[in-house]
Amino acid sequence: MKTFVCLFLAALVCLPAGARKKENPMKSTGMRYIETHFQEYDALQKRIHGYAELGYLEYKSSKELADHLAANGFQVEMGVAEIPTAFVATFGSGSPVVGLLGEFDALPGMSQDTCAYKCPRVAGAPGHGCGHNLLGTGPCAAAVAISKWLAEGHTGTVKYFGCPAEEGGGGKSYMAKAGCFNGCDVMLDWHPASENSVMLTPGLANVRVNFTFHGKAAHASGAPWNGRSALDAVEAFNYMMNLMREHVRPETRIHYIISNGGKAPNTVPDEAQAVYYLRCAKGSEVLALLERAVKAAEGAAMGTGTTMRYEVVNGNYERLLNHRLSEVYLKNLRLVGGVILDAREKAFCAEVLRNSGKEADLSNFERIPDALAPAQASGTSSDVGNVSQLVPLAKLTVTTNVKDAGVHCWQQTAVGGTTVGTKAALNVARIQYLTALDIFTSPGLVKEIWQEYYSVQGHDFRYVPLMGDRKPPLDYSK
Ligand SMILES: [Zn+2]
């Protein structure tokens, strides 16, 4: 018997690597790494929660993440796409190349302590109401976990993209223009939410455009015949745009503010400005609508004796979500499961719900979907759309907040800054790690994903940035 066992073991050792029993990904190196590093990532996400830096000003937050990746053997390129807080961290070599998107900018006015009622840390200051303290940390843990597995002698590359200013600054649109995402085989995205899901909703493509008119100042009563009102031009322009609403597709959205309407009623305004958001189902439709809007603005200027200039401040394509990659993401979400709260965390979240006037229903943390969340009509836009035009991308949501609260609210800032947020971020890390392993170990999967991508984009797709040649608006929040 002893001889038999020895012979059996010797045979096992002599087997080629491919013929050995396939390793169980759930028990592999990266999963053990995530399991044993809770404290480290809990502290990391809480530091970023505390910094709460606005878009393009996330110096401390992006440095935390970049330093952590560098300390774990990643090659970090800081300041990509002419943005000081944008970076790319790379580990491994060869194909496939798995990309992970991280964000870390806060929202103005969302300051909130980690208490169960509305309680700003600093009144009026920024806060992580969109959960980007977790959005950066989860994929960072995933990237390190993947690197531990690659370091065992596997072939492939993982890239973490530190993407600034998602909230209105469009960091990824400039990174896309600079070619940062080129060469990736797949891109894994996620966002904090009130539910666990893998979504297929594409959202809308959009541009933000400033239309500025210049006229001639004069006393509004003493010599109005000498004046040419820039505000008249804005009003004529807005009137034409409001007529245009009847002649656009139903999903199109047109909204504006008058950001400058003059200084005083008794002076004919020589400068006025309207800021527009134009949103359509596709980026190409947005460009066509922009052309019509520019004609209306030129007409308004002509009719009022003023001049007009416009600037596209930000532009995002719709999200092109890859169905095949989403299926793999969903399979791994189901393997990992929901966010399991302990008694203390349950009591805290129940209290947050009570203070929001809602029932203490915590089922959204553990609930796991059976299927992909079907595409729905949604009016929102994101700079992730730009990345998805270039690389097959899938989007996950993990529960980081109490039921139905969503994001951009004090509840997200409060819950996301506790261990509940850390647990959610590490679930993301596990799901992304397992998905990366599927990409690395399933021959043919990348090909299937790209076949789907090509069936939509074609083989000679050329990326046209919607905001043209503009430089990153590093001071946009001022
Ligand atoms: Zn967000």
Side-chain angles (χ1 to χ4, degrees):
M1 183 67 186
K2 228 178 212 171
T3 326
F4 173 75
V5 171
C6 287
L7 279 174
F8 176 75
L9 283 174
L12 199 65
V13 170
C14 294
L15 278 173
R20 261 181 236 155
K21 196 168 166 273
K22 215 178 164 200
E23 95 180 304
N24 179 355
M26 292 295 277
K27 293 188 175 149
S28 58
T29 310
M31 290 299 266
R32 284 198 302 277
Y33 170 79
I34 296 166
E35 227 55 71
T36 51
H37 287 74
F38 184 91
Q39 298 299 340
E40 196 170 346
Y41 289 102
D42 187 55
L44 178 61
Q45 75 93 344
K46 285 174 180 170
R47 284 199 296 278
I48 296 171
H49 186 271
Y51 300 147
E53 297 167 295
L54 289 176
Y56 292 124
L57 304 172
E58 321 94 324
Y59 289 95
K60 289 187 210 159
S61 309
S62 70
K63 189 174 184 308
E64 284 276 1
L65 293 160
D67 284 355
H68 180 76
L69 291 162
N72 279 285
F74 281 66
Q75 282 215 319
V76 177
E77 194 187 346
M78 202 75 206
V80 296
E82 298 178 60
I83 305 171
T85 54
F87 70 92
V88 183
T90 308
F91 188 97
S93 60
S95 322
V97 181
V98 173
L100 307 169
L101 296 177
E103 298 169 12
F104 31 73
D105 58 323
L107 280 166
M110 293 295 315
S111 174
Q112 165 71 30
D113 220 332
T114 49
C115 38
Y117 53 93
K118 192 163 190 246
C119 161
R121 230 173 235 162
V122 181
H128 273 293
C130 206
H132 292 186
N133 52 316
L134 308 172
L135 213 169
T137 303
C140 178
V144 177
I146 295 166
S147 76
K148 303 287 177 202
W149 183 82
L150 287 173
E152 289 181 331
H154 299 100
T155 305
T157 306
V158 57
K159 277 176 177 277
Y160 177 99
F161 294 94
C163 306
E166 189 279 329
E167 301 288 356
K172 290 181 208 70
S173 46
Y174 296 95
M175 291 174 76
K177 191 173 77 167
C180 294
F181 306 113
N182 298 353
C184 286
D185 288 301
V186 297
M187 192 67 73
L188 302 180
D189 182 39
W190 87 282
H191 203 284
S194 284
E195 59 182 349
N196 301 300
S197 80
V198 178
M199 55 178 282
L200 294 175
T201 297
L204 295 176
N206 78 331
V207 285
R208 178 186 155 160
V209 197
N210 297 346
F211 291 93
T212 309
F213 295 86
H214 284 99
K216 205 172 144 205
H219 194 289
S221 183
W225 48 85
N226 285 334
R228 296 291 181 270
S229 169
L231 178 61
D232 283 357
V234 165
E235 290 190 81
F237 173 49
N238 290 345
Y239 181 67
M240 281 187 268
M241 290 305 291
N242 286 326
L243 292 176
M244 202 185 287
R245 290 177 197 280
E246 189 186 348
H247 309 291
V248 296
R249 292 192 56 84
E251 65 279 3
T252 297
R253 301 282 183 275
I254 299 174
H255 27 246
Y256 65 86
I257 56 164
I258 298 178
S259 48
N260 177 6
K263 300 284 180 280
N266 63 350
T267 301
V268 173
D270 62 349
E271 185 179 300
Q273 187 188 61
V275 177
Y276 268 74
Y277 272 79
L278 308 173
R279 301 185 201 249
C280 301
K282 297 212 167 295
S284 52
E285 292 172 22
V286 165
L287 289 175
L289 183 62
L290 174 63
E291 223 175 283
R292 291 169 73 187
V294 169
K295 285 214 170 79
E298 285 168 351
M302 200 184 292
T304 54
T306 59
T307 58
M308 184 278 295
R309 62 181 170 80
Y310 72 96
E311 186 178 19
V312 181
V313 179
N314 191 8
N316 298 310
Y317 278 89
E318 73 283 7
R319 277 187 300 267
L320 180 63
L321 294 167
N322 190 282
H323 203 280
R324 185 69 190 96
L325 182 58
S326 300
E327 283 173 349
V328 182
Y329 229 175
L330 176 70
K331 182 203 78 176
N332 291 315
L333 164 62
R334 290 180 57 76
L335 269 177
V336 169
V339 181
I340 313 289
L341 307 184
D342 63 24
R344 185 181 52 89
E345 291 160 343
K346 278 183 183 163
F348 176 75
C349 289
E351 187 65 24
V352 170
L353 280 164
R354 265 192 294 280
N355 292 333
S356 313
K358 289 179 184 164
E359 270 179 57
D361 177 355
L362 303 175
S363 57
N364 61 314
F365 283 95
E366 289 191 36
R367 190 180 304 121
I368 289 298
D370 297 325
L372 297 171
Q376 290 176 348
S378 162
T380 61
S381 314
S382 158
D383 65 359
V384 170
N386 300 305
V387 188
S388 74
Q389 297 290 320
L390 291 160
V391 182
L393 180 144
K395 178 165 180 159
L396 166 79
T397 72
V398 167
T399 307
T400 58
N401 197 6
V402 293
K403 195 162 178 273
D404 298 332
V407 288
H408 290 219
C409 54
W410 69 263
Q411 291 89 343
Q412 174 59 56
T413 323
V415 177
T418 70
T419 50
V420 177
T422 312
K423 283 185 175 177
L426 291 185
N427 269 18
V428 171
R430 290 180 182 97
I431 298 161
Q432 292 188 332
Y433 167 77
L434 292 172
T435 304
L437 256 57
D438 282 328
I439 297 292
F440 290 133
T441 59
S442 316
L445 183 54
V446 170
K447 202 170 159 205
E448 279 176 51
I449 288 166
W450 275 86
Q451 263 166 0
E452 182 190 328
Y453 170 87
Y454 287 135
S455 73
V456 182
Q457 295 288 72
H459 281 269
D460 46 10
F461 170 76
R462 201 172 62 83
Y463 180 75
V464 179
L466 292 182
M467 75 292 176
D469 286 337
R470 200 170 191 276
K471 296 266 185 207
L474 301 180
D475 59 350
Y476 88 105
S477 54
K478 284 176 193 156

